[in-house]
Amino acid sequence: MSKVEEFEELRSLLFSIAYRVLGSVSEAEDAVQETWLRYDGSATRPTSVRAFLSATVTRISIDVLRSARVRREAYVGAWFPEPLLDDPYQDPARSAELADSVSMAALLLLERLSPLERAAFVLREVFGFGYDEVAATVGRSEAACRQLVVRARRHMEAGRPRFEAVRTEQEELSARFFEALREGDVAGLQELLAADVTMVGDGGGKTPQLARAIVGAGNVARLLAAFFPRLALVDVTCEPHEVNRQPGAILRDRDGRVLQALSLDVLDGRIQAIRLVLNPDKLGHLGPVADAWAVHDEVRKAGRSRR
């Protein structure tokens, strides 16, 4: 098998590792490309290509994450991961770990970890690498890596909800949510929202966005019911779609360009959080990006004309 064939066989795994470490599709793709360049330029063939490539992409991702954390500290407003519509790596034996680790909620918890804790946790808990492989990757002893994973697991478990929603419950609830959203049904929306639900937007200061988090079922339901039907007046469509393995949707303007990605956290029969990714820098991998300011102006004009 050629180097190209070996690499392509493992590309989906490498991307999935990098995305979970970085929370960025574009940075993960860059890390995978840099991994290929290093592998292609290597004069020796490793004993295990999988181990070599996984370690390389993880080390590159750790370095990128260290510099990215400085940028994220100066980020305008709430920071969310870049939305992922399809996780390319599939492993039936670890499907639960893969799905859980790529959710918006889990990625935001991973943001609280140090780069080494995050990498060790992803390799060990998500992808099932041995501690010897983790140690060789991050340059620490196996004992130190066990401590990294223990600390990371403790942080993750402390931030996770106590009860997980099953997929059928998620699908049913999200279908009812988007129907109520289209109808502008305040009561219907409020019935689906947790009492302390939060709605937060990530625009990075580059697009119209919520000035602050909206909290409470009544507040969120009224805002959604007032705003989303107006989008239909300017031909914005809301396409239900899994976002980071969770219920969500992609909003597009009349020309099919991406306006925002929306994801839902479903727990205990209610929607606990609504996250809106609006920053155009985080949407480009989904397709051509809409001019959110132009759409915003159209919505305002359409709203005035109906009065």
Side-chain angles (χ1 to χ4, degrees):
M1 186 181 292
S2 69
K3 273 191 170 184
V4 172
E5 291 170 329
E6 289 173 331
F7 186 83
E8 289 303 323
E9 191 173 77
L10 292 164
R11 179 185 285 274
S12 63
L13 170 63
L14 303 179
F15 173 84
S16 294
I17 291 172
Y19 178 76
R20 284 163 174 80
V21 174
L22 292 166
S24 165
V25 172
S26 56
E27 289 175 346
E29 289 174 342
D30 288 345
V32 172
Q33 181 61 24
E34 177 62 23
T35 299
W36 160 249
L37 293 175
R38 294 188 188 184
Y39 181 48
D40 187 44
S42 174
T44 59
R45 297 294 283 263
T47 303
S48 168
V49 175
R50 181 180 184 271
F52 174 82
L53 293 177
S54 299
T56 301
V57 80
T58 302
R59 291 178 192 136
I60 292 169
S61 298
I62 289 171
D63 290 341
V64 173
L65 182 60
R66 284 173 172 149
S67 61
R69 287 167 75 93
V70 175
R71 296 194 304 273
R72 290 172 192 177
E73 288 174 1
Y75 194 80
V76 177
W79 181 93
F80 293 154
E82 290 183 10
L84 185 68
L85 300 191
D86 298 296
D87 189 4
Y89 181 69
Q90 303 296 324
D91 180 353
R94 305 194 68 79
S95 59
E97 291 90 344
L98 290 168
D100 179 63
S101 64
V102 84
S103 70
M104 285 280 184
L107 289 170
L108 289 171
L109 286 175
L110 285 169
E111 279 292 305
R112 303 179 186 179
L113 307 180
S114 72
L116 287 185
E117 287 173 341
R118 185 165 181 166
F121 180 87
V122 166
L123 291 176
R124 175 63 185 174
E125 299 294 294
V126 180
F127 293 95
F129 281 70
Y131 277 109
D132 56 336
E133 296 173 291
V134 178
T137 297
V138 303
R140 298 289 189 275
S141 67
E142 288 189 39
C145 287
R146 289 179 187 276
Q147 288 302 311
L148 286 173
V149 172
V150 166
R151 288 200 300 271
R153 190 188 299 133
R154 188 181 302 127
H155 283 299
M156 296 294 288
E157 290 176 352
R160 278 197 178 106
R162 293 179 59 191
F163 305 102
E164 299 291 344
V166 297
R167 181 167 292 274
T168 53
E169 177 188 41
Q170 291 179 330
E171 292 173 350
E172 178 186 349
L173 196 63
S174 64
R176 292 169 59 197
F177 171 81
F178 288 116
E179 179 62 28
L181 198 60
R182 284 190 290 270
E183 299 295 326
D185 181 359
V186 176
L189 286 167
Q190 190 163 346
E191 180 184 346
L192 302 173
L193 302 174
D196 58 350
V197 64
T198 60
M199 183 166 68
V200 186
D202 170 359
K206 299 182 178 183
T207 184
Q209 67 184 76
L210 299 171
R212 55 183 174 78
I214 308 301
V215 181
N219 293 330
V220 171
R222 285 189 292 272
L223 179 59
L224 289 173
F227 183 70
F228 269 78
R230 295 183 190 175
L231 293 176
L233 297 176
V234 297
D235 301 319
V236 169
T237 57
C238 180
E239 304 171 0
H241 198 297
E242 273 198 354
V243 176
N244 290 73
R245 296 278 190 102
Q246 300 295 311
I250 303 299
L251 275 67
R252 300 180 185 274
D253 70 5
R254 62 167 58 91
D255 297 316
R257 295 173 298 192
V258 180
L259 184 63
Q260 65 174 261
L262 177 155
S263 69
L264 306 174
D265 276 359
V266 178
L267 177 68
D268 199 23
R270 293 289 186 274
I271 294 168
Q272 304 288 329
I274 302 171
R275 297 185 179 92
L276 313 173
V277 180
L278 307 108
N279 186 338
D281 295 343
K282 296 185 176 185
L283 300 174
H285 63 285
L286 304 180
V289 179
D291 183 341
W293 289 104
V295 173
H296 180 70
D297 289 342
E298 281 194 77
V299 170
R300 290 177 58 189
K301 291 175 183 176
R304 285 198 298 266
S305 65
R306 295 188 67 191
R307 293 175 187 168

